[in-house]
Amino acid sequence: MKVATYNVNSINARLPNLLKFLAREKPDILMLQELKCVFNDFPLFELNSAGYNAKFIGQKSYNGVALLSPHKILNVVEGLPDFDDENARYIEADVMVEGEAVRAASLYLPNGNPPYNNPDDESKFTYKLKWMNAFYARAADLLKSGKNVVLGGDYNVILTDFDVYNPEEFRHNALFREEVKQRFKALEYLGYYDAYRCLNPHEAGYTYWDYAGSALAADQGMRIDYLMLSPKAVDRLETCFVDRQTRADDKPSDHAPLVAVLK
């Protein structure tokens, strides 16, 4: 079983890249982020023609998440439960792979910049922290299901100095703040595993490179996209890699897909 996450940075602008990726890698489950389109503009016909079912929530010009699979997608949850959010940032469902249910979620965690200086200020950063708190609660509930759980997406978290090309430049960035890293680590303490780091402890594994300058050529990137696996799922983990080929294609997203293969 192959699962992947991919921030497409506008699904219609990146549709040729997406279809090329689907044809080459043939994922059983693909989590997409930053669709940047409303429901009626989603390219459902093209994806169906490529052999993929889709469940998605969109938003004009911003956000938007989707789950794609050639298998049945059932029991869909749109938005984080028990969290009032006007933004389209979270979708989860059961995907039936060879008769077994995999609970998959696609998430686009808030960026959070600029971070506040006063913890009492309402800001993009406080929204990010509240979102992460609600996500933690949902992740805890999903573990109780006993299913294979895969939480994939753009987490907008730089976890360690090893995960960004210039740590000092990002030291005060919302992606790298201690409050954010602590909340991400809490997922690991809860029982989730970072699929890429499990198998690639010594590879940077960047998933994002800015369009500006020659960031990709110079490998000036950061690792902010993750596949977090439940214990049952990580027991089946065989490989995990960053698909830099898609990032190097014509008119690409600024993110590369992250792909894992499970037994």
Side-chain angles (χ1 to χ4, degrees):
M1 179 174 62
K2 186 177 289 186
V3 298
T5 182
Y6 180 25
N7 180 322
V8 292
N9 189 18
S10 178
I11 191 169
N12 287 302
R14 240 59 69 183
L15 187 57
N17 310 71
L18 174 58
L19 293 174
K20 187 175 178 181
F21 171 77
L22 292 174
R24 184 178 70 248
E25 293 297 334
K26 299 179 174 59
D28 292 285
I29 304 171
L30 176 59
M31 301 90 157
L32 296 177
Q33 303 84 41
E34 276 204 273
L35 304 180
K36 294 183 176 179
C37 71
V38 295
F39 185 90
N40 289 338
D41 292 332
F42 187 86
L44 189 59
F45 175 79
E46 291 86 348
L47 291 171
N48 287 166
S49 297
Y52 278 82
N53 302 307
K55 299 295 182 181
F56 57 94
I57 51 174
Q59 186 174 344
K60 186 177 181 180
S61 302
Y62 298 98
N63 307 318
V65 286
L67 289 166
L68 307 186
S69 179
H71 313 289
K72 290 182 178 179
I73 305 175
L74 306 170
N75 306 318
V76 179
V77 172
E78 298 181 356
L80 271 174
D82 303 317
F83 184 69
D84 187 16
D85 192 3
E86 63 183 11
N87 296 304
R89 292 186 176 274
Y90 184 89
I91 189 169
E92 73 175 56
D94 287 327
V95 182
M96 303 303 297
V97 182
E98 296 184 2
E100 187 173 6
V102 177
R103 193 65 182 175
S106 176
L107 61 118
Y108 179 43
L109 208 148
N111 179 286
N113 279 305
Y116 55 59
N117 292 316
N118 181 349
D120 295 325
D121 288 345
E122 283 295 323
S123 67
K124 292 181 179 179
F125 192 64
T126 51
Y127 167 57
K128 179 172 190 164
L129 297 183
K130 290 177 181 178
W131 204 100
M132 294 186 82
N133 291 343
F135 176 56
Y136 175 90
R138 183 58 179 174
D141 286 343
L142 289 174
L143 275 186
K144 299 173 185 176
S145 70
K147 297 178 181 178
N148 294 289
V149 181
V150 181
L151 308 177
D154 178 354
Y155 280 69
N156 271 318
V157 175
I158 302 169
L159 189 57
T160 72
D161 286 9
F162 189 45
D163 296 315
V164 62
Y165 74 96
N166 185 346
E168 294 309 315
E169 182 177 329
F170 289 86
R171 193 66 66 191
H172 303 292
N173 190 289
L175 279 66
F176 209 22
R177 287 280 291 257
E178 285 301 319
E179 303 96 317
V180 169
K181 292 189 284 184
Q182 289 168 3
R183 283 165 171 79
F184 185 94
K185 290 298 292 182
L187 289 173
E188 296 185 316
Y189 297 142
L190 187 63
Y192 285 92
Y193 292 81
D194 177 350
Y196 186 82
R197 274 288 169 261
C198 283
L199 300 179
N200 304 280
H202 305 301
E203 298 292 332
Y206 298 152
T207 60
Y208 169 91
W209 298 262
D210 197 282
Y211 288 128
S214 55
L216 181 63
D219 203 24
Q220 296 177 341
M222 62 182 72
R223 189 173 81 101
I224 58 176
D225 301 88
Y226 298 83
L227 289 166
M228 301 300 290
L229 308 182
S230 66
K232 186 175 180 181
V234 80
D235 281 346
R236 302 181 175 195
L237 181 62
E238 293 188 324
T239 61
C240 189
F241 63 92
V242 179
D243 176 30
R244 292 178 64 131
Q245 181 176 342
T246 297
R247 177 63 178 84
D249 281 345
D250 291 338
K251 299 180 180 179
S253 167
D254 42 10
H255 292 250
L258 177 65
V259 184
V261 177
L262 311 179
K263 294 176 185 176

